[in-house]
Amino acid sequence: MTKHVSLILCFICATLTYAQKSLENTLKPTQDSIKKNEFVKHLGNGYLPTKYFNFDLRYLIKYNQFEGVRTGLGGTTNDKFSEKYRVNGYSVYGFRDARIKYSIGGGFRLAEKTNTWISLSYTDDLRETGSTKFLTDGRFFQFFEPRLLNIDLFHKLITKSINLEHQLSPKLFTGAEWTVSNIDPTYSYGYVLDNNIVNSFHLSTAKVSLQWNPFNKFEISGKKLKETKGYPQFSLQYTKSFKDVFKSDFNFSKLDFRTVYKTGNESNGVSEITLVSGITNGNTPLTHLYHAYPNNINKATIMQRFSVAGLNSFETMYFNEFFSDKFTTIQLKHYIKPINISEHYKPQVVLITRYAIGDIKQPELHQNVTFGSLKKGYTESGFEINKLFFGFGLSFTYRYGAYHLPEFSDNVAFKFTFNVSL
């Protein structure tokens, strides 16, 4: 595990070095016309821009417990190619499972004023079991995704989808999607459906998602409209699976909600509260249930579990320990004022408390897997010391309350953190 982490960190450093050199070359008027701030903005969003095509840095290299090293290429056309049409895709290869995954898609803009796009895509890839993503989530990029290193429960997913994006107002963004999927868990799993055990299955689902940011502020800077985030922010998503539509096996619904609130400022300290909640109704397979974003490896000692702390994950909760058909998590973070040691060295302490509660109605319907519920409430607290050395820091978290384990060391998560900003 340490070897793989080291390799990935070396690659990240090399990527940052390459990006810096590219930036220097980009700023030379005789070589490139892209301005410094525009290039940095692209790079911060995970893109390496060329004239008509932006390479997506998310697909260069990753690591997880099922695929091992995962590497490939991907990207999307940019506005210089067309402001009305876009083509995107990727292709990656996992060395451990020896399988190619890919996606191809495209879209066209229906209305410029409301930023309305309709898109089509075909994807053959993996997805983490129990994970949920909002359609309206903006693009999120990290050079290094710490939690991904330890995930081992995936399902194969072949999906055909049509997607609609629409800006109802500057503060309200909506998305809708229709998908037809073939799902095949990579682990031994069966769901008891109509007195039969289903091992792989088809789903036809519709999603509607809303992102409301009522306190965002807008101002004109030069010729561009500048947006400043305000809090709280709200996300809501409804998912419906239709049985017997395009051979779909399941009939269930899901409702997901998230809100984020921040107060304070970076110079004096910031407090952040994140609440996430979800509920399912009907026959829902494990692939579409909820976990609470665990990030602890099932190893015997603290140092064997030493890895990288995530951004919003439960660091002491073991992978695949809990699944729920309804759950709520709340996370409180307080970023203490950075310690001003020098102009370029300012470590920061972050105090953290996380709580999760949930339940599942009929766990016996899920065959060949063992997991618990969160009905008693799960609690962990700890702290991080970030930016100690080249973006690296340390994290310490302790598990207590109803799910406290008999051995003290099993309740402790000691990890390092990694924070890089451009």
Side-chain angles (χ1 to χ4, degrees), residues 222-277:
K223 295 182 179 180
K224 295 183 177 180
L225 186 65
K226 183 180 179 182
E227 181 179 8
T228 303
K229 286 186 176 181
Y231 295 92
Q233 299 188 344
F234 304 94
S235 303
L236 183 68
Q237 181 164 280
Y238 178 75
T239 304
K240 175 63 178 174
S241 175
F242 300 91
K243 188 174 182 179
D244 296 327
V245 177
F246 294 106
K247 300 180 180 180
S248 178
D249 296 306
F250 287 90
N251 185 53
F252 64 85
S253 60
K254 297 178 66 174
L255 184 64
D256 300 293
F257 173 77
R258 180 183 63 209
T259 183
V260 180
Y261 178 74
K262 287 185 181 181
T263 184
N265 56 71
E266 293 184 2
S267 58
N268 295 315
V270 175
S271 295
E272 176 182 315
I273 302 174
T274 302
L275 184 145
V276 180
S277 187

Side-chain angles (χ1 to χ4, degrees), residues 332-385:
L332 296 90
K333 284 186 175 183
H334 180 66
Y335 297 79
I336 296 175
K337 179 180 178 180
I339 304 171
N340 192 8
I341 296 176
S342 70
E343 182 180 355
H344 300 291
Y345 186 57
K346 299 178 180 180
Q348 186 175 36
V349 177
V350 185
L351 306 179
I352 301 170
T353 290
R354 301 183 181 97
Y355 179 79
I357 189 166
D359 203 356
I360 184 167
K361 288 182 180 178
Q362 294 179 290
E364 67 276 4
L365 296 179
H366 305 273
Q367 302 291 300
N368 304 323
V369 291
T370 302
F371 56 85
S373 76
L374 289 165
K375 61 183 178 181
K376 296 179 181 179
Y378 186 103
T379 314
E380 69 174 27
S381 295
F383 63 89
E384 296 175 354
I385 308 176

Side-chain angles (χ1 to χ4, degrees), residues 83-84 107-119 163-166:
E83 293 184 355
K84 296 182 179 179
F108 58 92
R109 191 174 64 194
L110 297 176
E112 181 179 3
K113 186 176 180 180
T114 56
N115 196 29
T116 304
W117 285 81
I118 188 167
S119 305
N163 182 283
L164 179 69
E165 306 168 31
H166 180 68

Side-chain angles (χ1 to χ4, degrees), residues 282-303:
N283 292 309
T284 311
L286 189 73
T287 54
H288 287 67
L289 292 182
Y290 301 104
H291 58 47
Y293 284 87
N295 193 31
N296 208 12
I297 314 169
N298 292 286
K299 297 289 182 67
T301 67
I302 294 175
M303 294 314 297

